[in-house]
Amino acid sequence: MHPLLRINGLSIEFISESGTTIALKNISLSVNRDKILAIVGESGSGKTVTALSILQLLPKIAKVTNGGIIFSEDGKKVIDLTSLSKKELQQIRGDKIAMIFQEPMTSLNPVFTCGHQVAESLALHKKLSTADAKGKAIEWLRKVKLPEPEKVFSKYPHQLSGGQKQRVMIAIAMCCRPSLLICDEPTTALDVTVQKNILQLIKDLQEEEKMGVIFITHDLGVVSEIADNIAVMYKGEVVENNSVKEIFSDPQHPYTKGLLACRPILHQRGQRLPTVSDFLETTDNRRQTIVKQHTPYAATMVSRQSSMALLSVKNLSVWFPVKKNLLGKSLSFTKAVDGVSFEVKKGETLGLVGESGCGKTTLGRTLLRLIDPTYGEIIYNGMDLTKKPISEITHLRKDIQLIFQDPYSSLNPRLTIGAAITEPLKVHGLYRNEKQRKEKVMDLLEKVDLDGRHFNRYPHEFSGGQRQRIVIARALALNPSFIICDEPVSALDVSVQAQVLNLLNDIKKEFRFTTIFISHDLSVVRYISDRIMVMHNGKIVETGNADEVYFHPKNEYTKNLVASIPGKDINYSI
């Protein structure tokens, strides 16, 4: 009997005016019915190209130079997907083979309701009437555990949360009961609790429908509990392909070992994280040095922060009106931040963790007066920022900086990175002339491990990790005393994440600034922080030493966050 899907020696090139790029090199994979194959690798490894090639969704510049993709729904009749016409492929896409794309907001049509988009697939492939398609669509919205599916049917994508949109995408992909489901990074940047729910939902539906699944991710920990087999991809090649048990207990390829080792969850606070490049070194001596250098140690970190509070927040509240009467008086509010009090000591890294919508980003921006508080006090260096007009605290902007969650959207696409980093120096009148400012910027680029030759390049010419380094350099340009990092590593590959976390630790030692580190990932927050605050529904529900909160949580919400961390109980040998 033939496997459900078999990729035989597939090679793909991208041919453009600027030259030829080899995307896939002779890869071979197979997916069986009722099994989950995880394809793991960093950005650029070829995993998404592999997924798109199955449904022939690659751009026109892509050319298959070798191999084939064989699909066999019943185990007897085989179809080479690379040889089908557009019309033949249309009959398979969404019906026999379905795909959940990485970003649901860009995959869902914003002008149609969520229910319409589920029903559309049913009407197209199953030839159902409008009424029957609606009934089936609501049934599937219920099956993917969306609350009040009848109401969700009539809602538009922008009215749903990220996790809810992802569930709608799963309903669209699953409603025609495909034999093969392809999931392309379906949980990237989602909260750990939402991620856990989505993973469990996919696993449950896979078992219920007895289908094969290809699950693509950059994080081995994510698939540790749901996959049967794992294929590791690196630079367009499959470098390791084995069962989950074998991959985690006895990884063979240095790249696989690097992906496993660089996760912050495996290391103590402040300990330098290994990166994939460390493991790709060829000499045995270098490998032994890495293992010795990065093996977790038992000693407890000694905190060096001052006992003096740099920032003191008292009963801070930020309420947004959601309903007003005819006279414009607010009748009800969303309490994004609700009576929050805490202190941040000089030199301390305070982690702020919680799910999307808990109020952590609103809190961070309110501290900078980018959002005005409703009540409360924000006392920075003895000055109550809530009592000062914006014009009087403008000079503090150079002392308090923010590293945004999405570096690409926070950089002006029309400015070179040199100009973007130079801009705050000009605004605050620092250094005498352009030559001195450029020297400062070149020095900053070097400190964040970027080449000075990048000075005249634009943001789109950099990878995600490089752009994150650029916005860190821009934040450091004014020598701030206090930096708020808002989800700076949430959407990065695990190895790039390790590089950025190492960088933050290095520059913190050199520049000695105070930090609030905001994230939904408790394992990352535990690694980078001295203390942790856990936020839920606008309130701080738990505060304490980073290791205490992580290893011995007291609040039920915190316990749930810890329990949702993927792969936290996995042991492996480097």
Side-chain angles (χ1 to χ4, degrees):
M1 180 177 282
H2 296 281
L4 179 62
L5 185 85
R6 187 172 71 251
I7 300 175
N8 292 329
L10 185 67
S11 296
I12 293 177
E13 295 179 352
F14 286 176
I15 303 171
S16 63
E17 293 180 358
S18 58
T20 299
T21 301
I22 299 174
L24 297 180
K25 304 174 188 175
N26 195 36
I27 70 163
S28 295
L29 295 168
S30 64
V31 187
N32 292 315
R33 295 160 192 81
D34 199 22
K35 297 292 182 182
I36 297 179
L37 169 69
I39 301 179
V40 180
E42 296 174 289
S43 297
S45 64
K47 56 189 189 297
T48 294
V49 174
T50 302
L52 293 175
S53 68
I54 294 170
L55 287 174
Q56 301 297 292
L57 295 174
L58 292 170
K60 292 182 179 179
I61 61 171
K63 180 183 178 183
V64 176
T65 58
N66 187 57
I69 304 172
I70 308 300
F71 177 64
S72 178
E73 188 176 19
D74 60 4
K76 298 176 182 178
K77 182 181 178 182
V78 297
I79 303 170
D80 187 349
L81 298 177
T82 61
S83 65
L84 298 183
S85 65
K86 288 184 179 180
K87 186 176 180 180
E88 290 170 325
L89 282 168
Q90 192 64 35
Q91 294 173 347
I92 289 178
R93 291 172 183 160
D95 187 21
K96 307 297 183 186
I97 305 176
M99 187 166 182
I100 302 169
F101 294 93
Q102 182 170 355
E103 177 47 66
M105 194 62 215
T106 55
S107 302
L108 292 170
N109 192 324
V111 301
F112 290 110
T113 64
C114 296
H116 172 88
Q117 295 181 64
V118 180
E120 182 182 35
S121 185
L122 288 161
L124 175 65
H125 292 294
K126 301 304 180 186
K127 311 301 180 187
L128 298 181
S129 66
T130 301
D132 288 343
K134 180 178 180 180
K136 278 287 185 183
I138 292 174
E139 182 183 323
W140 271 100
L141 292 174
R142 182 178 293 109
K143 189 170 284 192
V144 297
K145 300 178 182 178
L146 279 164
E148 300 180 299
E150 292 82 3
K151 290 184 179 179
V152 172
F153 184 92
S154 301
K155 288 185 177 181
Y156 290 88
H158 72 273
Q159 296 176 294
L160 303 182
S161 69
Q164 289 175 327
K165 283 193 283 279
Q166 198 61 274
R167 290 172 187 269
V168 172
M169 285 294 299
I170 293 172
I172 293 172
M174 290 290 300
C175 65
C176 292
R177 300 182 182 274
S179 300
L180 176 64
L181 178 66
I182 303 169
C183 307
D184 186 8
E185 299 268 17
T187 60
T188 298
L190 291 180
D191 299 329
V192 286
T193 50
V194 177
Q195 174 179 259
K196 183 178 181 180
N197 291 336
I198 294 294
L199 291 172
Q200 190 59 52
L201 174 62
I202 291 172
K203 179 67 174 177
D204 291 344
L205 291 173
Q206 179 261 333
E207 290 178 348
E208 181 182 333
E209 300 293 328
K210 306 295 182 185
M211 64 182 174
V213 174
I214 295 176
F215 194 102
I216 295 169
T217 182
H218 62 261
D219 188 347
L220 275 163
V222 168
V223 294
S224 60
E225 297 173 10
I226 70 163
D228 297 292
N229 295 286
I230 295 176
V232 181
M233 292 193 70
Y234 177 62
K235 292 187 176 180
E237 296 182 88
V238 175
V239 295
E240 191 159 357
N241 189 357
N242 215 327
S243 68
V244 170
K245 182 180 178 181
E246 289 298 320
I247 290 288
F248 282 96
S249 64
D250 188 24
Q252 297 298 307
H253 196 275
Y255 182 70
T256 309
K257 294 178 181 180
L259 286 179
L260 285 166
C262 65
R263 301 173 67 234
I265 194 173
L266 302 171
H267 303 274
Q268 293 201 18
R269 290 187 293 122
Q271 187 180 14
R272 191 166 189 81
L273 297 173
T275 63
V276 166
S277 59
D278 293 330
F279 284 81
L280 292 175
E281 295 282 350
T282 55
T283 65
D284 290 337
N285 289 338
R286 174 61 177 155
R287 179 85 68 255
Q288 290 170 5
T289 302
I290 294 165
V291 173
K292 184 177 179 180
Q293 194 173 29
H294 297 294
T295 300
Y297 53 83
T300 303
M301 279 182 59
V302 178
S303 178
R304 296 181 180 178
Q305 75 261 19
S306 164
S307 60
M308 180 179 176
L310 179 66
L311 179 76
S312 181
V313 176
K314 299 179 181 178
N315 197 33
L316 188 68
S317 296
V318 183
W319 296 1
F320 297 112
V322 293
K323 188 177 181 181
K324 296 183 179 181
N325 62 17
L326 293 174
L327 299 176
K329 182 180 179 180
S330 298
L331 301 177
S332 61
F333 299 86
T334 295
K335 298 180 180 181
V337 179
D338 191 14
V340 167
S341 299
F342 64 91
E343 288 186 345
V344 186
K345 298 175 183 178
K346 284 187 176 180
E348 180 182 32
T349 297
L350 176 65
L352 178 58
V353 67
E355 297 174 288
S356 297
C358 72
K360 58 187 187 296
T361 293
T362 300
L363 174 58
R365 295 188 176 215
T366 305
L367 297 179
L368 294 171
R369 288 294 305 276
L370 297 175
I371 297 174
D372 286 327
T374 308
Y375 305 106
E377 299 177 352
I378 305 170
I379 301 171
Y380 177 76
N381 253 346
M383 179 192 300
D384 188 350
L385 303 185
T386 63
K387 300 286 195 297
K388 301 287 184 181
I390 293 297
S391 58
E392 289 188 28
I393 62 172
T394 300
H395 69 282
L396 283 176
R397 296 290 189 217
K398 78 182 190 68
D399 201 43
I400 309 175
Q401 287 289 302
L402 175 64
I403 297 174
F404 292 94
Q405 180 172 357
D406 183 357
Y408 190 64
S409 63
S410 65
L411 291 169
N412 189 329
R414 296 184 178 183
L415 290 182
T416 64
I417 65 148
I421 301 172
T422 303
E423 189 176 35
L425 299 176
K426 288 183 177 179
V427 169
H428 291 279
L430 300 180
Y431 302 97
R432 296 179 188 177
N433 51 49
E434 287 297 318
K435 181 182 177 181
Q436 288 186 350
R437 293 188 190 107
K438 183 172 182 179
E439 287 175 354
K440 172 66 175 177
V441 172
M442 297 291 273
D443 180 57
L444 284 168
L445 289 174
E446 185 177 327
K447 287 186 186 306
V448 298
D449 295 331
L450 287 174
D451 198 311
R453 291 174 295 180
H454 295 332
F455 187 92
N456 292 315
R457 292 174 61 187
Y458 289 88
H460 72 272
E461 299 179 78
F462 295 89
S463 68
Q466 287 175 319
R467 283 195 289 264
Q468 197 60 270
R469 292 170 186 272
I470 292 165
V471 296
I472 290 172
R474 185 176 62 180
L476 292 173
L478 300 172
N479 294 319
S481 300
F482 185 42
I483 297 179
I484 297 176
C485 303
D486 187 7
E487 299 269 17
V489 297
S490 63
L492 299 178
D493 292 335
V494 286
S495 182
V496 178
Q497 180 187 82
Q499 293 170 23
V500 173
L501 291 173
N502 284 338
L503 173 63
L504 286 171
N505 273 332
D506 289 344
I507 61 177
K508 189 173 184 295
K509 290 176 184 175
E510 180 176 349
F511 288 85
R512 299 182 181 279
F513 51 79
T514 304
T515 312
I516 291 180
F517 190 97
I518 300 171
S519 178
H520 64 259
D521 189 338
L522 190 52
S523 63
V524 170
V525 171
R526 194 273 311 180
Y527 167 77
I528 199 78
S529 305
D530 299 298
R531 286 190 303 128
I532 292 176
M533 292 193 309
V534 182
M535 196 168 186
H536 181 51
N537 290 339
K539 295 180 180 294
I540 303 299
V541 297
E542 186 164 356
T543 305
N545 172 275
D547 284 340
E548 275 296 315
V549 172
Y550 183 83
F551 292 109
H552 307 289
K554 296 179 175 62
N555 185 271
E556 285 302 317
Y557 177 72
T558 312
K559 291 178 182 178
N560 191 33
L561 286 179
V562 174
S564 300
I565 297 171
K568 65 182 177 64
D569 298 321
I570 293 172
N571 294 314
Y572 69 94
S573 173
I574 298 176

